[in-house]
Each structure stands twice: as C-alpha cells, then as structure tokens.
Amino acid sequence: MTMIKMKYQAHIEFNMSKRLRKLKMKQIKVTALLMTMASLVAILLIYYLNWPIQRNAISSSTKDYVASLPMVHVPLRQIYNDVSNESSEIFYERRQEQMLDTPGCKIPMAMVNYFQYLNNSKSKHSSCSKRGIFLYKTGVDKIRVYIKNNIMKRHTKRFEDFKCCYRFLLVPKKLIYERMKLRYTNCKTLYHGLILDLETDFINVKCFQNISNNVSQEIYEDWFAFIKKINKTKVLRKDCQHNYNVLMIGLDSMSLPRLAQTMTRTIDHLYENFWLLFKGYHKVEDNTFPNLMAVLTGKNLTAITNLCTNRMDRCNELMIWSDFKRDGYITAYGEDYLRLPDTFTNRYAYNNSPTDHYLRPFFLQGEVDKFNKSLVCSGKEASGKHLLDYALDFANTYKREKFFGLFWMNSFSHNMNSRPQDADKMFEDFFNKLKYTGALFNTFVIFFSDHGIRFGEHRWRTNAYYDDRMPFLYMSVPNVFAEKLPLKLNSLAINQNRLITPYDLYSTLVEIKNISGCRNHTKTLPECCPGCQSLFEIVTENRTCSNVNIHEKWCSCHDLNPLPPNDKEGNKSAVIAVTHINNMIKTIETMPCWGCMKLSLRNIIRIHFYYSRAKENLYYVVAFAVTPGNVLYEATIERNNKTMDVIGPISIISPYRGLGKCTFKFKDRLFCMCQKKGKC
C-alpha cells in the first residue's frame, strides 16, 4: 500500500508540475502579446505625431539642384485623374492646373476627355485572325516552325489534309518599291518542327488544299518579319568605353493626355521603371512630317522642302541615322499603315532603303483596314504588332554591337476611330521583353509622338487647342550612363519640367553619338534653332516659344480667355479668317472645267483671346464653320493697334471628307469646295 501511495503521490506531483509549466507558457505568451501590441501602439503614435511634418517636407520645393539627389517621379495618375466614371460637366469644372509652370512658359492643364469619344471596354474586334502557323527565332539565323492543326482545320474543307510552303521576300538595295512587283524565292515545303535558315528579313507562308485532281486552292497565308543579322565591315574603335545604342519608338497623333487615359498599363510600366517624362515637350509645326524631321535632321520644313522635295534619297545623308551609320552603327527604320500620306511618301518617298533594315517592303505586300479603320492587319497579325516584334528582334540581335533604330506606329492612334487602348498591353509586353533581353544595359530608349489628334469633334473644345500641341516624350537612360555621367543625368531630370522641342531631341541624339565616339566635340546646334540645345545640359526656365523657333500659331504658353460668340471684335476676326481663305482660293490650280467655290461664314464655334508676353499685341483664336461644305477651321488672328491679320496657317479641324479632289496639290484640297464650270 505504501508503494501504491508513493506512486500516486509522484503521479500527482508530475501532473502539477506539468500544469505549472503550461501556466507559465501561457503567461509568457500573454506577456509577449501585450508587449507586441504596446509596440504597435507606440509606432502608430510616433507615425501620427510625425506625419504632418513628413507631408510638408514632401510638398516643399527647392531651387537648388544637387547632382547626387535622386530623381522624383510623379505618377501620371496624380496628374491625370481617371475621369471615366465622371460626367463631362464635373470634368470641365475642375480647377485648372499647370502642365508646365516656368517663368518663360505656363501651359495650363487642359485635357480632352477621351472617354467621352471612345468606349474604353475591350473591343470585340481586337485581333486580325487566328494564327495557325507560328515561326520562332531560335538563334541568330535559325527559325523553328510550329503548326496548330486544330486551328488549321478551321481553314480546310471537311478536315482534309493540307500542304504548306514558305518563301522569302527579296529586297534589293536598288528598288523603287511602289513601281515594281515584289519578288520572292521559290516556295519550299513547310511542316511542323522544321528548322529553316533565315535568308532575308521577311517570310511569306502559304497553305493549299486539293479540291480535285491536280487542282489546289490556297486556304491560308501569313507574314513574318525577323532580323537577318548583317556582319559589319567597318572596324569599331576598341579604345572607346562609352558606346550607347538608341532605340526610338514613335506613336502618331498621341498627346500626353490621350496616352495617360488610354494606355494606363504602359504608363504604369514606365513609371515603375523610372523612365523620364518631359511634360513640356512641344510640337514646332502642324503635322507629322515637319515635327519628325526636326528630330531626325534638326531642320525646319522650309529647309527640308528646298533640299529634299522629290530627292529624298539624296537627302538621306542629312538624317541622324546616317550620322550613326558613319560611326559604325547598324541602322533600322520601320513604319506601318503605309496608305497614310504623313511621312516618307509622295514627294518625300525613298526609292532605296535608307537604313540597313527597312520595314516598308514588308507592309507593301498588303495592309487591310478592318472594323471602321480601328484595326490595320498584315496577314494574321496587326501591323503594329509586327512593327514592335521587329523592333524587339532588332535590339536583341545587335545588343552586343552598336545600333540605332526608329520604329513609327500609325495604325493604333492616327485618328479618332483608332483604339490605342487595344495596343496598351502590346506595348507593356514589348517594354517588359525589351527589359529582359539585356539590351537596355547600354541603350537609350525614346518613346515619343509628334502631336495630338488634329481633326474630329473633340477639336471643337478649347482643351483640344492644347492637346494638339502637346505630344509626349519619355526616355529610358541606361544605368551605365547614369553611373559614368551623373551630371548629364541630373540635367535630364531637371529638364523634365522645361519647355522642350524636337530640335532639342535632335541635339541630344547628336551628343549621344559623339559621346559614343569619344569625341571632344563642340556643341552641335540645329541651324534653324540657335536657342535649342542638348537635354544633357540644363535648359533655362526663362525659355519662351520665340527662343526655340516655335511660331506664335503653335505656341501654347498662355491661357485662352473665352469671348461670347456675339462679341463684335471676335466676330470680326472670324470674318478676316474667311476672307483670308477666299484670297487663297483664287490662287489654287484646279483641273480643267473645275473651280473652287467662294466660302461664307456659317457660324462661330468658339472665340478666345490672349495677350503677348509684353502685353503689346492681342491674339484671337477662333474656330468657325463655313458654307458650302460645312467644314470647320481654326485660325489665330493678331491685333496690333487697329489692324488685324491672320498669322500662321489656318488649320482644318473637322474630319477630312475627300473634298477638293479637283485640285492638283493635296494642301489645296483642304480649302477648295469643287464646282464644275457650266460652259465646259
């Protein structure tokens, strides 16, 4: 019994000890929890007490710029609030802020509400067709074939067998593309898993099906563009340690506000990857050609017209890509939607390839407008997608060498029917892939446009006056450049909030070329803009439009003050503009038996005024409709004392509907309402 009692007593003591240990553990856990909660409360209290100080510190500004300070990036979402769920009344009643605010130039934050004109939901027609055959680059000059039979069977009848072949587009250096038929190699058998040698940049794939004895029918056709690597013949300097590449991606008719509203994924990517945004980038002329040529040559439209009309091949020596090529760079140029008369067409067309790689022959095989011109297709893929894929392959192929490439996209943004939001993910994917190729290590990437939308119903609003004049400019600076030349990077950061022009961008490209060539060079200034400069130097905040050769007609460094449509002086300015057009019409040459009708003022859409910087002159900006034709124009009228004169060209702001076809010159069509003469 004693033994039993002892065991029982030991059992009780063991259980008591176990309970005490559990109790101590609970006490420890409770104590730790209380300490954690107390710490969190203390942290929140400290944050609460210090938050106003931090907020004020962030919002404060300084005029002293230090090279070692990090760049501050402001999200575009903070500048352009999402207005998709707001009424237009609320949108236009917001307090006006400044897009650019310097002593020399103040541009108001005037933004067109593009959601009012475009449905931002995903388009039902966002793709050209289902691709059944895929070609992938597996090496420098090897292509692998992948065929999806389940998709290909949709193109066949009764699921019968089909046969495919491939051929290369031959592009001789001396070829007038528009006047000669495109030539190809023989079509060779193509099958799943085939690895073929890349012979030229462009591949055409065709598939056929037998429909009867010895009779076949084409059931499938597609196009692919790759970079066939060129072996350089010029020996590069090995003693130069600063070799930088340039890749330029352009979007036609895309203002910064339009980009911010329609391509939010792309904007987020640029912000998250610390791209520089130049908010004061300003156009210098009306349409694409002069603004793009200012970037590529540093010359204005007058000089280009005199030097290059009908002899663009000879003028190719003036292009910035030719300067890079002379320094041993591989060059490329590509542009889609060739039916547009905006860039290198008509009097400024190239008969020979201007660069080492030239995408124009690829699109000459046939682009097709679809869905009310909201999508442009080449084969089974959108033309814009072909363009970006070609640009990516170009950068990846030559990333260990020196390259300069410009790729200009028209198809997703040229007019109001275009849907840039359908290209948003495409651009995000492109920039992501470009990042992971390793090409950005020593490459400047410039993402830019020429101007905003110039035609359409939205141009009737005052905000569109600024939207047309303010394209966008982003720049990705290679890390190696930032490490070696921090002062130049600091200048770029400061110039994000300065008035900037395409001439400045040209000077910047010239300096990149000179730095890469290890030259101790003098400043290269555009001959038509002595006040312009490289963005690697700080631009003065006192810069005005007149300092950088921006005509008063295009300058937007002012607020527009509204006038009522019945204002006497405002109405007089509209009458003067119509009289000016009628005087122009008298000099227009037309086809035999045709003439231009005299125009009359139908009604005034809007009238605004502003003063010159010195308050010496008064300017009227008037939008009006004429009859016959009901065409809308916008004019700037200068009032000096008692005289009033039209300055700069008069802009058409209504969609061009094919009027004026009886004239010989395209520019005359915008003002001529054709009428057949009775006695002819």
Side-chain angles (χ1 to χ4, degrees), residues 112-142:
V112 173
N113 182 3
Y114 282 100
F115 292 103
Q116 182 177 351
Y117 304 98
L118 291 175
N119 180 10
N120 200 41
S121 61
K122 184 174 176 60
S123 172
K124 296 179 181 179
H125 308 294
S126 58
S127 62
C128 295
S129 182
K130 271 286 187 180
R131 206 168 223 176
I133 298 177
F134 298 83
L135 303 186
Y136 300 102
K137 201 172 186 182
T138 60
V140 176
D141 57 357
K142 299 292 183 181

PDB file of all heavy atoms in Angstrom, residues 112-142:
ATOM      1  N   VAL A 112      -8.399  66.842 -72.864  1.00  0.00           N
ATOM      2  CA  VAL A 112      -9.585  66.323 -73.544  1.00  0.00           C
ATOM      3  C   VAL A 112     -10.023  65.039 -72.853  1.00  0.00           C
ATOM      4  O   VAL A 112      -9.200  64.175 -72.547  1.00  0.00           O
ATOM      5  CB  VAL A 112      -9.278  66.053 -75.033  1.00  0.00           C
ATOM      6  CG1 VAL A 112     -10.452  65.363 -75.709  1.00  0.00           C
ATOM      7  CG2 VAL A 112      -8.935  67.350 -75.745  1.00  0.00           C
ATOM      8  N   ASN A 113     -11.307  64.908 -72.608  1.00  0.00           N
ATOM      9  CA  ASN A 113     -11.838  63.692 -72.004  1.00  0.00           C
ATOM     10  C   ASN A 113     -12.067  62.661 -73.109  1.00  0.00           C
ATOM     11  O   ASN A 113     -13.125  62.612 -73.730  1.00  0.00           O
ATOM     12  CB  ASN A 113     -13.147  64.001 -71.275  1.00  0.00           C
ATOM     13  CG  ASN A 113     -13.725  62.778 -70.591  1.00  0.00           C
ATOM     14  OD1 ASN A 113     -13.128  61.702 -70.612  1.00  0.00           O
ATOM     15  ND2 ASN A 113     -14.878  62.939 -69.983  1.00  0.00           N
ATOM     16  N   TYR A 114     -11.061  61.824 -73.363  1.00  0.00           N
ATOM     17  CA  TYR A 114     -11.160  60.864 -74.462  1.00  0.00           C
ATOM     18  C   TYR A 114     -12.158  59.751 -74.184  1.00  0.00           C
ATOM     19  O   TYR A 114     -12.613  59.082 -75.109  1.00  0.00           O
ATOM     20  CB  TYR A 114      -9.780  60.280 -74.775  1.00  0.00           C
ATOM     21  CG  TYR A 114      -8.926  61.226 -75.574  1.00  0.00           C
ATOM     22  CD1 TYR A 114      -7.952  62.003 -74.960  1.00  0.00           C
ATOM     23  CD2 TYR A 114      -9.115  61.378 -76.939  1.00  0.00           C
ATOM     24  CE1 TYR A 114      -7.176  62.892 -75.685  1.00  0.00           C
ATOM     25  CE2 TYR A 114      -8.355  62.263 -77.674  1.00  0.00           C
ATOM     26  CZ  TYR A 114      -7.385  63.014 -77.046  1.00  0.00           C
ATOM     27  OH  TYR A 114      -6.637  63.901 -77.771  1.00  0.00           O
ATOM     28  N   PHE A 115     -12.513  59.547 -72.923  1.00  0.00           N
ATOM     29  CA  PHE A 115     -13.518  58.534 -72.618  1.00  0.00           C
ATOM     30  C   PHE A 115     -14.890  58.934 -73.146  1.00  0.00           C
ATOM     31  O   PHE A 115     -15.771  58.106 -73.299  1.00  0.00           O
ATOM     32  CB  PHE A 115     -13.584  58.305 -71.107  1.00  0.00           C
ATOM     33  CG  PHE A 115     -12.357  57.656 -70.551  1.00  0.00           C
ATOM     34  CD1 PHE A 115     -11.412  58.401 -69.872  1.00  0.00           C
ATOM     35  CD2 PHE A 115     -12.138  56.301 -70.718  1.00  0.00           C
ATOM     36  CE1 PHE A 115     -10.274  57.809 -69.359  1.00  0.00           C
ATOM     37  CE2 PHE A 115     -11.002  55.701 -70.209  1.00  0.00           C
ATOM     38  CZ  PHE A 115     -10.073  56.451 -69.529  1.00  0.00           C
ATOM     39  N   GLN A 116     -15.065  60.210 -73.415  1.00  0.00           N
ATOM     40  CA  GLN A 116     -16.330  60.679 -73.955  1.00  0.00           C
ATOM     41  C   GLN A 116     -16.502  60.253 -75.412  1.00  0.00           C
ATOM     42  O   GLN A 116     -17.612  60.133 -75.909  1.00  0.00           O
ATOM     43  CB  GLN A 116     -16.396  62.203 -73.847  1.00  0.00           C
ATOM     44  CG  GLN A 116     -17.691  62.822 -74.332  1.00  0.00           C
ATOM     45  CD  GLN A 116     -17.696  64.316 -74.126  1.00  0.00           C
ATOM     46  OE1 GLN A 116     -16.819  64.867 -73.473  1.00  0.00           O
ATOM     47  NE2 GLN A 116     -18.688  64.992 -74.682  1.00  0.00           N
ATOM     48  N   TYR A 117     -15.376  60.009 -76.092  1.00  0.00           N
ATOM     49  CA  TYR A 117     -15.419  59.686 -77.516  1.00  0.00           C
ATOM     50  C   TYR A 117     -15.117  58.224 -77.808  1.00  0.00           C
ATOM     51  O   TYR A 117     -15.457  57.714 -78.871  1.00  0.00           O
ATOM     52  CB  TYR A 117     -14.414  60.560 -78.274  1.00  0.00           C
ATOM     53  CG  TYR A 117     -14.641  62.028 -78.051  1.00  0.00           C
ATOM     54  CD1 TYR A 117     -13.897  62.732 -77.116  1.00  0.00           C
ATOM     55  CD2 TYR A 117     -15.618  62.708 -78.757  1.00  0.00           C
ATOM     56  CE1 TYR A 117     -14.109  64.082 -76.899  1.00  0.00           C
ATOM     57  CE2 TYR A 117     -15.845  64.057 -78.549  1.00  0.00           C
ATOM     58  CZ  TYR A 117     -15.085  64.740 -77.615  1.00  0.00           C
ATOM     59  OH  TYR A 117     -15.307  66.076 -77.401  1.00  0.00           O
ATOM     60  N   LEU A 118     -14.454  57.555 -76.870  1.00  0.00           N
ATOM     61  CA  LEU A 118     -14.077  56.167 -77.097  1.00  0.00           C
ATOM     62  C   LEU A 118     -14.603  55.298 -75.977  1.00  0.00           C
ATOM     63  O   LEU A 118     -14.490  55.646 -74.804  1.00  0.00           O
ATOM     64  CB  LEU A 118     -12.552  56.019 -77.163  1.00  0.00           C
ATOM     65  CG  LEU A 118     -11.859  56.625 -78.378  1.00  0.00           C
ATOM     66  CD1 LEU A 118     -10.361  56.495 -78.218  1.00  0.00           C
ATOM     67  CD2 LEU A 118     -12.302  55.935 -79.650  1.00  0.00           C
ATOM     68  N   ASN A 119     -15.163  54.159 -76.342  1.00  0.00           N
ATOM     69  CA  ASN A 119     -15.562  53.173 -75.347  1.00  0.00           C
ATOM     70  C   ASN A 119     -14.316  52.470 -74.861  1.00  0.00           C
ATOM     71  O   ASN A 119     -13.613  51.826 -75.626  1.00  0.00           O
ATOM     72  CB  ASN A 119     -16.539  52.170 -75.977  1.00  0.00           C
ATOM     73  CG  ASN A 119     -16.980  51.113 -74.985  1.00  0.00           C
ATOM     74  OD1 ASN A 119     -16.702  51.217 -73.785  1.00  0.00           O
ATOM     75  ND2 ASN A 119     -17.669  50.106 -75.478  1.00  0.00           N
ATOM     76  N   ASN A 120     -14.031  52.589 -73.570  1.00  0.00           N
ATOM     77  CA  ASN A 120     -12.776  52.054 -73.045  1.00  0.00           C
ATOM     78  C   ASN A 120     -12.825  50.557 -72.777  1.00  0.00           C
ATOM     79  O   ASN A 120     -11.853  49.971 -72.349  1.00  0.00           O
ATOM     80  CB  ASN A 120     -12.399  52.783 -71.749  1.00  0.00           C
ATOM     81  CG  ASN A 120     -10.933  52.635 -71.425  1.00  0.00           C
ATOM     82  OD1 ASN A 120     -10.099  52.702 -72.318  1.00  0.00           O
ATOM     83  ND2 ASN A 120     -10.612  52.429 -70.162  1.00  0.00           N
ATOM     84  N   SER A 121     -13.973  49.919 -73.003  1.00  0.00           N
ATOM     85  CA  SER A 121     -14.041  48.476 -72.811  1.00  0.00           C
ATOM     86  C   SER A 121     -13.293  47.775 -73.929  1.00  0.00           C
ATOM     87  O   SER A 121     -12.992  48.360 -74.964  1.00  0.00           O
ATOM     88  CB  SER A 121     -15.499  48.011 -72.796  1.00  0.00           C
ATOM     89  OG  SER A 121     -16.121  48.310 -74.027  1.00  0.00           O
ATOM     90  N   LYS A 122     -13.014  46.510 -73.733  1.00  0.00           N
ATOM     91  CA  LYS A 122     -12.250  45.747 -74.717  1.00  0.00           C
ATOM     92  C   LYS A 122     -13.033  45.629 -76.016  1.00  0.00           C
ATOM     93  O   LYS A 122     -14.210  45.326 -76.032  1.00  0.00           O
ATOM     94  CB  LYS A 122     -11.921  44.353 -74.178  1.00  0.00           C
ATOM     95  CG  LYS A 122     -11.044  43.532 -75.125  1.00  0.00           C
ATOM     96  CD  LYS A 122     -10.651  42.232 -74.475  1.00  0.00           C
ATOM     97  CE  LYS A 122      -9.860  41.353 -75.434  1.00  0.00           C
ATOM     98  NZ  LYS A 122      -8.638  41.974 -75.898  1.00  0.00           N
ATOM     99  N   SER A 123     -12.361  45.887 -77.115  1.00  0.00           N
ATOM    100  CA  SER A 123     -13.012  45.831 -78.417  1.00  0.00           C
ATOM    101  C   SER A 123     -13.382  44.396 -78.778  1.00  0.00           C
ATOM    102  O   SER A 123     -12.659  43.455 -78.484  1.00  0.00           O
ATOM    103  CB  SER A 123     -12.073  46.412 -79.488  1.00  0.00           C
ATOM    104  OG  SER A 123     -12.604  46.205 -80.771  1.00  0.00           O
ATOM    105  N   LYS A 124     -14.541  44.249 -79.421  1.00  0.00           N
ATOM    106  CA  LYS A 124     -14.939  42.928 -79.897  1.00  0.00           C
ATOM    107  C   LYS A 124     -14.098  42.503 -81.090  1.00  0.00           C
ATOM    108  O   LYS A 124     -14.073  41.333 -81.453  1.00  0.00           O
ATOM    109  CB  LYS A 124     -16.419  42.953 -80.290  1.00  0.00           C
ATOM    110  CG  LYS A 124     -17.359  43.232 -79.126  1.00  0.00           C
ATOM    111  CD  LYS A 124     -18.803  43.253 -79.604  1.00  0.00           C
ATOM    112  CE  LYS A 124     -19.753  43.544 -78.452  1.00  0.00           C
ATOM    113  NZ  LYS A 124     -21.166  43.601 -78.901  1.00  0.00           N
ATOM    114  N   HIS A 125     -13.431  43.468 -81.715  1.00  0.00           N
ATOM    115  CA  HIS A 125     -12.636  43.183 -82.911  1.00  0.00           C
ATOM    116  C   HIS A 125     -11.196  43.625 -82.666  1.00  0.00           C
ATOM    117  O   HIS A 125     -10.684  44.512 -83.329  1.00  0.00           O
ATOM    118  CB  HIS A 125     -13.218  43.913 -84.119  1.00  0.00           C
ATOM    119  CG  HIS A 125     -14.680  43.689 -84.330  1.00  0.00           C
ATOM    120  ND1 HIS A 125     -15.205  42.461 -84.655  1.00  0.00           N
ATOM    121  CD2 HIS A 125     -15.736  44.540 -84.244  1.00  0.00           C
ATOM    122  CE1 HIS A 125     -16.523  42.568 -84.780  1.00  0.00           C
ATOM    123  NE2 HIS A 125     -16.866  43.811 -84.533  1.00  0.00           N
ATOM    124  N   SER A 126     -10.543  43.045 -81.662  1.00  0.00           N
ATOM    125  CA  SER A 126      -9.202  43.479 -81.292  1.00  0.00           C
ATOM    126  C   SER A 126      -8.111  42.637 -81.931  1.00  0.00           C
ATOM    127  O   SER A 126      -6.936  42.878 -81.700  1.00  0.00           O
ATOM    128  CB  SER A 126      -9.044  43.442 -79.765  1.00  0.00           C
ATOM    129  OG  SER A 126      -9.298  42.140 -79.275  1.00  0.00           O
ATOM    130  N   SER A 127      -8.475  41.614 -82.717  1.00  0.00           N
ATOM    131  CA  SER A 127      -7.465  40.785 -83.368  1.00  0.00           C
ATOM    132  C   SER A 127      -7.812  40.629 -84.837  1.00  0.00           C
ATOM    133  O   SER A 127      -8.971  40.745 -85.240  1.00  0.00           O
ATOM    134  CB  SER A 127      -7.372  39.411 -82.695  1.00  0.00           C
ATOM    135  OG  SER A 127      -8.596  38.713 -82.817  1.00  0.00           O
ATOM    136  N   CYS A 128      -6.787  40.356 -85.643  1.00  0.00           N
ATOM    137  CA  CYS A 128      -6.980  40.251 -87.090  1.00  0.00           C
ATOM    138  C   CYS A 128      -7.546  38.895 -87.490  1.00  0.00           C
ATOM    139  O   CYS A 128      -8.497  38.804 -88.253  1.00  0.00           O
ATOM    140  CB  CYS A 128      -5.649  40.499 -87.801  1.00  0.00           C
ATOM    141  SG  CYS A 128      -5.029  42.188 -87.588  1.00  0.00           S
ATOM    142  N   SER A 129      -6.941  37.821 -86.970  1.00  0.00           N
ATOM    143  CA  SER A 129      -7.388  36.474 -87.302  1.00  0.00           C
ATOM    144  C   SER A 129      -6.664  35.492 -86.391  1.00  0.00           C
ATOM    145  O   SER A 129      -5.708  35.858 -85.703  1.00  0.00           O
ATOM    146  CB  SER A 129      -7.093  36.155 -88.774  1.00  0.00           C
ATOM    147  OG  SER A 129      -7.556  34.874 -89.117  1.00  0.00           O
ATOM    148  N   LYS A 130      -7.128  34.253 -86.383  1.00  0.00           N
ATOM    149  CA  LYS A 130      -6.469  33.209 -85.608  1.00  0.00           C
ATOM    150  C   LYS A 130      -5.273  32.672 -86.376  1.00  0.00           C
ATOM    151  O   LYS A 130      -5.405  32.223 -87.511  1.00  0.00           O
ATOM    152  CB  LYS A 130      -7.444  32.064 -85.309  1.00  0.00           C
ATOM    153  CG  LYS A 130      -8.246  32.229 -84.039  1.00  0.00           C
ATOM    154  CD  LYS A 130      -7.388  31.995 -82.809  1.00  0.00           C
ATOM    155  CE  LYS A 130      -8.236  31.995 -81.546  1.00  0.00           C
ATOM    156  NZ  LYS A 130      -7.427  31.779 -80.338  1.00  0.00           N
ATOM    157  N   ARG A 131      -4.124  32.720 -85.738  1.00  0.00           N
ATOM    158  CA  ARG A 131      -2.907  32.224 -86.364  1.00  0.00           C
ATOM    159  C   ARG A 131      -2.786  30.728 -86.118  1.00  0.00           C
ATOM    160  O   ARG A 131      -2.900  30.268 -84.984  1.00  0.00           O
ATOM    161  CB  ARG A 131      -1.706  32.960 -85.776  1.00  0.00           C
ATOM    162  CG  ARG A 131      -0.510  33.027 -86.674  1.00  0.00           C
ATOM    163  CD  ARG A 131       0.529  34.001 -86.155  1.00  0.00           C
ATOM    164  NE  ARG A 131       1.084  34.818 -87.218  1.00  0.00           N
ATOM    165  CZ  ARG A 131       1.952  35.799 -87.031  1.00  0.00           C
ATOM    166  NH1 ARG A 131       2.354  36.099 -85.818  1.00  0.00           N
ATOM    167  NH2 ARG A 131       2.404  36.496 -88.053  1.00  0.00           N
ATOM    168  N   GLY A 132      -2.540  29.973 -87.187  1.00  0.00           N
ATOM    169  CA  GLY A 132      -2.393  28.529 -87.058  1.00  0.00           C
ATOM    170  C   GLY A 132      -0.966  28.051 -87.226  1.00  0.00           C
ATOM    171  O   GLY A 132      -0.628  26.935 -86.847  1.00  0.00           O
ATOM    172  N   ILE A 133      -0.111  28.903 -87.801  1.00  0.00           N
ATOM    173  CA  ILE A 133       1.300  28.567 -88.009  1.00  0.00           C
ATOM    174  C   ILE A 133       2.148  29.640 -87.338  1.00  0.00           C
ATOM    175  O   ILE A 133       1.930  30.839 -87.541  1.00  0.00           O
ATOM    176  CB  ILE A 133       1.635  28.474 -89.509  1.00  0.00           C
ATOM    177  CG1 ILE A 133       0.814  27.356 -90.160  1.00  0.00           C
ATOM    178  CG2 ILE A 133       3.123  28.230 -89.720  1.00  0.00           C
ATOM    179  CD1 ILE A 133       1.027  27.236 -91.652  1.00  0.00           C
ATOM    180  N   PHE A 134       3.098  29.204 -86.532  1.00  0.00           N
ATOM    181  CA  PHE A 134       3.957  30.116 -85.790  1.00  0.00           C
ATOM    182  C   PHE A 134       5.416  29.859 -86.161  1.00  0.00           C
ATOM    183  O   PHE A 134       5.838  28.703 -86.284  1.00  0.00           O
ATOM    184  CB  PHE A 134       3.771  29.931 -84.282  1.00  0.00           C
ATOM    185  CG  PHE A 134       2.376  30.228 -83.802  1.00  0.00           C
ATOM    186  CD1 PHE A 134       1.382  29.256 -83.887  1.00  0.00           C
ATOM    187  CD2 PHE A 134       2.056  31.465 -83.283  1.00  0.00           C
ATOM    188  CE1 PHE A 134       0.092  29.521 -83.452  1.00  0.00           C
ATOM    189  CE2 PHE A 134       0.771  31.742 -82.847  1.00  0.00           C
ATOM    190  CZ  PHE A 134      -0.213  30.764 -82.933  1.00  0.00           C
ATOM    191  N   LEU A 135       6.171  30.942 -86.321  1.00  0.00           N
ATOM    192  CA  LEU A 135       7.607  30.859 -86.565  1.00  0.00           C
ATOM    193  C   LEU A 135       8.332  31.534 -85.410  1.00  0.00           C
ATOM    194  O   LEU A 135       7.988  32.658 -85.027  1.00  0.00           O
ATOM    195  CB  LEU A 135       7.984  31.539 -87.887  1.00  0.00           C
ATOM    196  CG  LEU A 135       7.296  31.034 -89.164  1.00  0.00           C
ATOM    197  CD1 LEU A 135       7.903  31.711 -90.390  1.00  0.00           C
ATOM    198  CD2 LEU A 135       7.385  29.523 -89.294  1.00  0.00           C
ATOM    199  N   TYR A 136       9.323  30.839 -84.855  1.00  0.00           N
ATOM    200  CA  TYR A 136      10.081  31.362 -83.722  1.00  0.00           C
ATOM    201  C   TYR A 136      11.564  31.380 -84.068  1.00  0.00           C
ATOM    202  O   TYR A 136      12.087  30.427 -84.650  1.00  0.00           O
ATOM    203  CB  TYR A 136       9.864  30.504 -82.472  1.00  0.00           C
ATOM    204  CG  TYR A 136       8.429  30.431 -82.009  1.00  0.00           C
ATOM    205  CD1 TYR A 136       7.653  29.303 -82.275  1.00  0.00           C
ATOM    206  CD2 TYR A 136       7.850  31.488 -81.314  1.00  0.00           C
ATOM    207  CE1 TYR A 136       6.333  29.225 -81.852  1.00  0.00           C
ATOM    208  CE2 TYR A 136       6.533  31.421 -80.885  1.00  0.00           C
ATOM    209  CZ  TYR A 136       5.778  30.294 -81.159  1.00  0.00           C
ATOM    210  OH  TYR A 136       4.471  30.231 -80.744  1.00  0.00           O
ATOM    211  N   LYS A 137      12.228  32.451 -83.666  1.00  0.00           N
ATOM    212  CA  LYS A 137      13.665  32.553 -83.878  1.00  0.00           C
ATOM    213  C   LYS A 137      14.372  31.797 -82.762  1.00  0.00           C
ATOM    214  O   LYS A 137      14.159  32.067 -81.576  1.00  0.00           O
ATOM    215  CB  LYS A 137      14.088  34.028 -83.885  1.00  0.00           C
ATOM    216  CG  LYS A 137      15.408  34.296 -84.586  1.00  0.00           C
ATOM    217  CD  LYS A 137      15.645  35.798 -84.722  1.00  0.00           C
ATOM    218  CE  LYS A 137      16.890  36.076 -85.555  1.00  0.00           C
ATOM    219  NZ  LYS A 137      17.155  37.534 -85.663  1.00  0.00           N
ATOM    220  N   THR A 138      15.224  30.838 -83.128  1.00  0.00           N
ATOM    221  CA  THR A 138      15.908  30.015 -82.130  1.00  0.00           C
ATOM    222  C   THR A 138      17.398  30.306 -82.051  1.00  0.00           C
ATOM    223  O   THR A 138      18.089  29.753 -81.222  1.00  0.00           O
ATOM    224  CB  THR A 138      15.709  28.519 -82.442  1.00  0.00           C
ATOM    225  OG1 THR A 138      16.246  28.242 -83.745  1.00  0.00           O
ATOM    226  CG2 THR A 138      14.238  28.162 -82.421  1.00  0.00           C
ATOM    227  N   GLY A 139      17.890  31.142 -82.901  1.00  0.00           N
ATOM    228  CA  GLY A 139      19.304  31.515 -82.901  1.00  0.00           C
ATOM    229  C   GLY A 139      19.471  32.771 -83.719  1.00  0.00           C
ATOM    230  O   GLY A 139      18.506  33.485 -84.008  1.00  0.00           O
ATOM    231  N   VAL A 140      20.697  33.055 -84.105  1.00  0.00           N
ATOM    232  CA  VAL A 140      20.945  34.264 -84.883  1.00  0.00           C
ATOM    233  C   VAL A 140      20.223  34.214 -86.220  1.00  0.00           C
ATOM    234  O   VAL A 140      19.646  35.205 -86.665  1.00  0.00           O
ATOM    235  CB  VAL A 140      22.461  34.457 -85.098  1.00  0.00           C
ATOM    236  CG1 VAL A 140      22.726  35.662 -85.999  1.00  0.00           C
ATOM    237  CG2 VAL A 140      23.164  34.642 -83.762  1.00  0.00           C
ATOM    238  N   ASP A 141      20.216  33.051 -86.870  1.00  0.00           N
ATOM    239  CA  ASP A 141      19.597  32.952 -88.193  1.00  0.00           C
ATOM    240  C   ASP A 141      18.846  31.638 -88.382  1.00  0.00           C
ATOM    241  O   ASP A 141      18.766  31.109 -89.484  1.00  0.00           O
ATOM    242  CB  ASP A 141      20.658  33.111 -89.284  1.00  0.00           C
ATOM    243  CG  ASP A 141      21.778  32.090 -89.165  1.00  0.00           C
ATOM    244  OD1 ASP A 141      21.750  31.295 -88.210  1.00  0.00           O
ATOM    245  OD2 ASP A 141      22.675  32.093 -90.030  1.00  0.00           O
ATOM    246  N   LYS A 142      18.287  31.087 -87.297  1.00  0.00           N
ATOM    247  CA  LYS A 142      17.512  29.851 -87.369  1.00  0.00           C
ATOM    248  C   LYS A 142      16.066  30.119 -86.958  1.00  0.00           C
ATOM    249  O   LYS A 142      15.805  30.831 -85.992  1.00  0.00           O
ATOM    250  CB  LYS A 142      18.105  28.767 -86.459  1.00  0.00           C
ATOM    251  CG  LYS A 142      19.536  28.362 -86.806  1.00  0.00           C
ATOM    252  CD  LYS A 142      19.603  27.625 -88.132  1.00  0.00           C
ATOM    253  CE  LYS A 142      21.028  27.172 -88.426  1.00  0.00           C
ATOM    254  NZ  LYS A 142      21.121  26.481 -89.733  1.00  0.00           N
TER     255      LYS A 142
END
